[in-house]
Amino acid sequence: MRHGPAHRLTAPSPRIRAPRRVALVCVLLSACGGSSGATGPGAGGDGGGAGTGGTTGAAGAGTAGTGGTTTGTGGSAGTAAAGTGGAAGTGTAGTGGAAGTGTAGSGGSSCTTPPAASELVGWAASGTATTGGGSATPETVTTVAALKTAVAGTDAAVIYVSGVLASDTVMIGSNKTIVGLCGAEIHGHIDLTGSSNVIIRNIKVVGYGVGNCTLDPAFVAMVGCSSGNDAITVARSNHIWFDHDDVSDGTDGNLDITLGSDFVTVSWTKFHYTARTDNTGNDSTGASGHRFSNLVGGDDNSSPDIGKLNVTWHHNWWADRVVERQPRIRYGKNHLYNNLWTSSGDNYCVRSGMNAQILLENNVFMGVKSPHEFNNTADQGTSNITSTNNVYSGTSGTQATGGGGTAFTTPSYAYVLDAASSVQALAQAGAGPH
């Protein structure tokens, strides 16, 4: 099936019943002329005519649902003013306004119930699949201390995060589903080391390095930004799924997947940075500010990575100020389809390192440099890039394909491609929390 942004729809508000029209009927023709005021409050009126009927109530204007939970409400019923200056007026009572027709917001969530996840597709669906905390009763946390307690260990748990949490390092155990509610944010560093079966979705993750790498408690001046933490680290972990997240300002990387991690899917997620530089240390990257988003495989000649690091990337958006690693891949079969790059000012987007097998399908590259390239000639001899039906608009640099490694052309899982012509609109509307 086609995969789009999750939408949570709510039932429309009950229709408001309009009050019945009430007609005040003149019993005698003379009573309607105002010559006798005996029967109404207009007694003694000066020849008053028939009383003026009540004004019809205005139709209610439904308000667009916020986050998909609210439908419009109907207008208030109109009230009829009785005629004055004569006998009982013949005006009819105003009719109530029509029920409002507010439309549920696309994919929205309330502050108590998150939107549904996308359908899981890709490597994280392989083998034992990725179910997170399954059907465990959700627990809502509002502080980083409560979050750290809730995500520890291996017991199945579903954790809803509410509010903007203070910066800290959060170690995630196994068999967990972590979901953001109503604009939730986790700041600092999320660490999945030795974890399995974890889902993180509908949440904003902001690294320590917002505009300045020295804000990271792990920063070492003699090294530079690369000494700091990623916004999210996945190491020695398997069956991990990130869905509808917003990840930014990792001091080292935004989301790095290393050390033999495997069966990972990253879907409908936006990556970006705040402007910063990296002018000190022996690993300084200068004006680029080490704004290097996603690393798959941390080292060459890493035996634990052989046959691992299989990652699916779909409907993601690499956006403002990402300079490199969108992603940069060693080893593993990485499948990138229906993604969007608008990270103008970059050095490159997708780079193949040693032994990587990369399949690029129906992606869109807009205004970027070197949409896909090899790290060097030696790595080109051991890796392979297959590119099919991608769109390049205003790009420069390399669109490398081929290589001496084994081509990866047919993933082992089912998936459906959206037309490349629709990808920009889909990613910009759908990537990130809802």
Side-chain angles (χ1 to χ4, degrees), residues 58-85:
T63 302
T66 300
T69 60
T70 307
T71 54
T73 57
S76 302
T79 57
T84 59

Side-chain angles (χ1 to χ4, degrees), residues 28-109:
L28 299 176
L29 291 175
S30 59
C32 298
S35 59
S36 172
T39 60
D46 225 1
T52 303
T55 303
T56 300
T63 302
T66 300
T69 60
T70 307
T71 54
T73 57
S76 302
T79 57
T84 59
T90 58
T92 57
T95 57
T101 57
T103 303
S106 173
S109 66

Side-chain angles (χ1 to χ4, degrees), residues 173-360:
S174 296
N175 307 310
K176 303 293 186 289
T177 298
I178 302 163
V179 191
L181 296 176
C182 201
E185 299 182 14
I186 297 174
H187 287 237
H189 171 55
I190 292 178
D191 193 312
L192 293 94
T193 298
S195 305
S196 64
N197 191 31
V198 175
I199 299 170
I200 299 177
R201 66 180 183 88
N202 202 58
I203 199 161
K204 185 173 184 179
V205 180
V206 183
Y208 283 115
V210 182
N212 186 351
C213 293
T214 65
L215 297 173
D216 192 320
F219 178 81
V220 177
M222 66 181 297
V223 177
C225 290
S226 64
S227 64
N229 291 288
D230 302 321
I232 303 173
T233 295
V234 179
R236 294 189 291 275
S237 296
N238 66 86
H239 292 93
I240 311 295
W241 180 23
F242 300 93
D243 182 54
H244 282 287
D245 296 315
D246 181 305
V247 186
S248 66
D249 294 312
T251 312
D252 185 15
N254 275 335
L255 168 56
D256 285 2
I257 302 166
T258 62
L259 296 176
S261 294
D262 207 5
F263 301 117
V264 179
T265 292
V266 184
S267 57
W268 297 101
T269 292
K270 181 178 180 180
F271 299 101
H272 56 104
Y273 282 94
T274 304
R276 72 185 188 202
T277 58
D278 181 24
N279 295 322
T280 63
N282 56 27
D283 197 29
S284 167
T285 59
S288 72
H290 199 83
R291 286 172 273 129
F292 302 164
S293 190
N294 307 104
L295 181 65
V296 179
D299 293 293
D300 291 343
N301 302 310
S302 176
S303 56
D305 292 337
I306 297 174
K308 304 289 182 65
L309 298 177
N310 297 304
V311 184
T312 301
W313 309 79
H314 73 85
H315 296 92
N316 301 296
W317 179 15
W318 283 269
D320 301 343
R321 303 181 187 88
V322 182
V323 176
E324 295 183 7
R325 300 180 184 172
Q326 308 177 67
R328 197 270 200 206
I329 302 162
R330 296 178 175 94
Y331 299 97
K333 296 180 175 71
N334 275 235
H335 183 198
L336 297 94
Y337 71 90
N338 290 146
N339 298 291
L340 173 67
W341 287 261
T342 61
S343 46
S344 60
D346 67 317
N347 292 336
Y348 68 82
C349 295
V350 181
R351 175 178 283 181
S352 176
M354 69 180 303
N355 296 101
Q357 296 169 267
I358 298 173
L359 174 59
L360 297 161

Side-chain angles (χ1 to χ4, degrees), residues 97-146:
T101 57
T103 303
S106 173
S109 66
S110 71
C111 290
T112 57
T113 305
S118 306
E119 180 182 2
L120 174 58
V121 179
W123 284 114
S126 301
T128 58
T130 303
T131 58
S135 59
T137 301
E139 170 189 359
T140 299
V141 299
T142 58
T143 67
V144 70

